[in-house]
Amino acid sequence: MTLFGKQQEFFGLDISGTSVKVVQLKPGPSKPSLVAYGGMVLPVGSMQSDSEVDLQNVSNAIRQVVKKAKISATQCVAALPGSGVFTSIIRMPAMPKGELADSIRWQAKQYVPSPLEEVILDWHVVGEHVKKPAPGQKAAGTAGTADAADSAGQSGGSGTAATAGDKEIEVMLIAAPIALVRKYVKIIGGAGLKPLALEIEPLSLARSVVGVRQEPVVVLDVGQAGSEISIVENGIIRLNRNTTAGGGALTRAISQSLGVDANRAEQFKRDFGLREDKLEGQIPKAVKPVLDTMVAEIRRSLDFYREQPHPQGDIREMVVVGGTARMPELLPLLSGTFGVEAKIGDPWANVNYASALKQQLHELAPSFSVTVGLAMREM
Ligand SMILES: Nc1ncnc2c1ncn2[C@@H]1O[C@H](COP(=O)(O)OP(=O)(O)OP(=O)(O)O)[C@@H](O)[C@H]1O
Ligand SMILES: [Mg+2]
């Protein structure tokens, strides 16, 4: 963003394990307007590899999507996969600004599972409390990522520290492996584009499908490779977890259990989902182990949140995104299991677009939630 003159043009780029999605918005008086969007499937296995040829294939796919969608920007904001980035909220005593960066780095050594030389470390102060009677530093969770912390003040060592005293602060640590960041930068550069920023998916989702609200919300993104669970409260990611229980695993389970090929299994999944009255209830039975894994991880996340002080109240809502959000009967299962209102997230709710696009955008909504959130950064 420039203070004066034209704002830098950029678009949101979501490179998943199997597809590339792009969205460009432009700022508007009340909400941003859609400029362009598009997507395509990646060559199988290309994103899972680190070979030059595969990375070039991904770059080429991005080039094609950008051209086809008529994206005018050459700069992008991209998402790093949640499964590859370590995040955690830690508590520590409030201290003068000058001491904070060193202290956080020292703390990070204890929490980040890989050597600090191998990661890019970012941090944001996300909360400030009066210290409780039993002091001590304690991890508050494995979490998503933040610059959602912008509202709370500080990040990356640049902010003003809380006043020292009885207060303790909550700091979100984000550690992205340097190798992963290099890979993304290389792919993006290979497509002739410039990365303005890389962020983690829960942050994009908090922007596109949660927005400004105080009450805690669970965001569940069930894509192809897996599911990502985050809890967003007051614009801040309180927690973030990943599982491999995603759309791909559901299709594989159906294919194996019913003895049909992957295409057929995919069609069954989309047409019948968890309906007991179709194919003699074979699909819900086939996918039960995958759903059990997902449910267990969501339960762990909810339990963890509820064990912490949560002055904003209990969680009543679950926003479900990712292509699998549209699987028949998934939402009622989630609502029933967790006693929350599960609904599909709509990233287009705060975007202006031509009414002729309504139907198509509605169908793409769950899959494009991360992409729209990336495109909304700083708007
Ligand atoms: N109507 C539908 N019913 C059930 N599943 C669907 C439907 N439409 C899409 N899917 C599934 O959604 C998944 C793709 O979702 P999405 O586009 O969010 O994934 P992704 O972002 O590419 O992957 P990931 O985030 O896991 O890396 C696929 O597994 C696909 O089978
Ligand atoms: Mg995704």
Side-chain angles (χ1 to χ4, degrees), residues 14-21 48 81 201 221-228 246-251 266-271 273 321-328 363-364 366-371:
D14 179 6
I15 312 169
S16 84
T18 46
S19 66
V20 178
K21 292 169 256 186
Q48 286 68 33
E201 295 177 355
D221 180 354
V222 195
Q224 161 71 15
S227 331
E228 183 147 1
L250 293 170
T251 301
E266 177 75 26
Q267 206 55 51
F268 282 160
K269 178 180 80 172
R270 293 183 185 220
D271 291 347
V321 298
T324 311
R326 297 173 61 223
M327 182 166 77
E363 276 166 28
L364 295 176
S367 280
F368 272 68
S369 299
V370 167
T371 333

Side-chain angles (χ1 to χ4, degrees), residues 351-366:
V351 175
N352 275 322
Y353 53 83
S355 56
L357 296 175
K358 191 169 179 150
Q359 183 57 30
Q360 194 181 14
L361 293 184
H362 175 75
E363 276 166 28
L364 295 176

